[in-house]
Amino acid sequence: TDLTVDGSRISCRISNLAEATDYMVRVSNGEEESEERPFSTGTPDQIENMNFDSWYQDGKVWYPNPGAASKIWDTANKGASITGSSPTMPTDNVCDAGTGAGKQAARLESRSAFGLLAAGNIYTGIFGKVSGLGAELQWGTPFTGRPTALHGYYAYEPKTIDKAKEPYLDMKGEIDKCQILVMLTDWDEPFQVNTNTGNFVDQENDPHIIAYAKYESSENTGAKYKEFTLELEWRRPEATPKYGVVIACSSYLGNFFTGAIGSMMYVDEFEFIYD
């Protein structure tokens, strides 16, 4: 399906192939056939703890990892936790698909810290250090899978935006939005984000982003989880990722200290989907 022809370049989607298998492919126009070319399918890899069942606490900060030695997931809320409990923490308010003994989800809440908005968030990567009123972060964990979508569950209770900084001052009075973001990249190393200086990934133009998907919504689901399937846009279908970035945030402009105090998001049972 999805057959496209651009000069001598032909692309299509072939579904229902076996994982970790070598295949041969050739092209036919009904009269002539090309030589056979080999290709191999990958495996349905997942990122550890995408169901958000494992957590540990260091001081006031909660981390969605099984222990301090695991450096898969992190939160940018270390600085915000100085003024109170962590905006990001585990919860037993799980989705129906995530029920059972020991099952947990992630609870993300936007709060005020040092007079600025601190959005509850989780991301694959490592927290570097507090930088001014922001933080230095490393986005991305090693990942070479080639999924077609991210599936999972979220719940959201947005509030009216009451904290904002340039260039988003005119956003005050609007309803906040949650965000779920996926980037599969071939960076040579994790991306160095600095929320204080405004150093962020150019999500539209970074040539190292192989596959991308973003979901933002102001819908108030209340305490009820909503199932989602977020299709990935493969910008470079022939490339193999080196890093996976998965982010969930209770205020979609939290990187820019803009959002609503009290916006609450729950996420649970994330899973990459493979054709």
Side-chain angles (χ1 to χ4, degrees), residues 179-227:
Q179 182 186 85
I180 299 170
L181 174 66
V182 181
M183 293 185 290
L184 305 181
T185 79
D186 60 359
W187 298 323
D188 290 330
E189 58 185 14
F191 190 92
Q192 305 296 316
V193 171
N194 190 316
T195 63
N196 185 54
T197 62
N199 187 46
F200 298 109
V201 177
D202 184 348
Q203 298 177 25
E204 298 297 325
N205 301 304
D206 188 333
H208 293 286
I209 298 177
I210 297 171
Y212 179 87
K214 181 170 69 174
Y215 176 80
E216 294 174 345
S217 176
S218 60
E219 178 185 359
N220 190 336
T221 71
K224 184 177 181 181
Y225 275 92
K226 181 176 182 178
E227 185 176 9

Side-chain angles (χ1 to χ4, degrees), residues 84-248:
S85 60
S86 177
T88 297
M89 61 181 63
T91 176
D92 58 6
N93 177 27
V94 300
C95 66
D96 290 342
T99 57
K103 300 294 286 183
Q104 297 189 92
R107 176 185 183 273
L108 318 175
E109 181 182 3
S110 294
R111 296 182 180 178
S112 178
F114 307 107
L116 299 173
L117 179 96
N121 63 86
I122 51 176
Y123 63 93
T124 53
I126 299 174
F127 183 94
K129 63 180 180 179
V130 174
S131 175
L133 294 174
E136 294 181 13
L137 318 171
Q138 296 178 16
W139 276 10
T141 191
F143 183 74
T144 58
R146 293 173 50 85
T148 57
L150 177 71
H151 176 266
Y153 301 83
Y154 82 97
Y156 190 50
E157 298 177 64
K159 303 296 183 183
T160 301
I161 293 176
D162 53 3
K163 292 284 187 180
K165 289 193 68 177
E166 291 285 5
Y168 299 106
L169 292 176
D170 60 347
M171 299 293 293
K172 282 189 175 182
E174 297 189 13
I175 301 300
D176 206 356
K177 296 180 182 180
C178 63
Q179 182 186 85
I180 299 170
L181 174 66
V182 181
M183 293 185 290
L184 305 181
T185 79
D186 60 359
W187 298 323
D188 290 330
E189 58 185 14
F191 190 92
Q192 305 296 316
V193 171
N194 190 316
T195 63
N196 185 54
T197 62
N199 187 46
F200 298 109
V201 177
D202 184 348
Q203 298 177 25
E204 298 297 325
N205 301 304
D206 188 333
H208 293 286
I209 298 177
I210 297 171
Y212 179 87
K214 181 170 69 174
Y215 176 80
E216 294 174 345
S217 176
S218 60
E219 178 185 359
N220 190 336
T221 71
K224 184 177 181 181
Y225 275 92
K226 181 176 182 178
E227 185 176 9
F228 72 88
T229 300
L230 188 56
E231 298 288 337
L232 284 166
E233 171 201 353
W234 278 84
R235 298 175 179 176
R236 292 162 50 209
E238 74 287 352
T240 298
K242 295 180 181 178
Y243 289 94
V245 179
V246 180
I247 298 172

Side-chain angles (χ1 to χ4, degrees), residues 17-23 39-45 144-147 240-241 274-275:
L17 300 178
E19 65 182 68
T21 302
D22 295 330
Y23 287 93
F39 73 94
S40 301
T41 56
T43 54
D45 300 334
T144 58
R146 293 173 50 85
T240 298
Y274 292 79
D275 280 348

Side-chain angles (χ1 to χ4, degrees), residues 4-11 27:
T4 60
V5 179
D6 181 11
S8 61
R9 182 181 179 87
I10 302 172
S11 64
V27 178

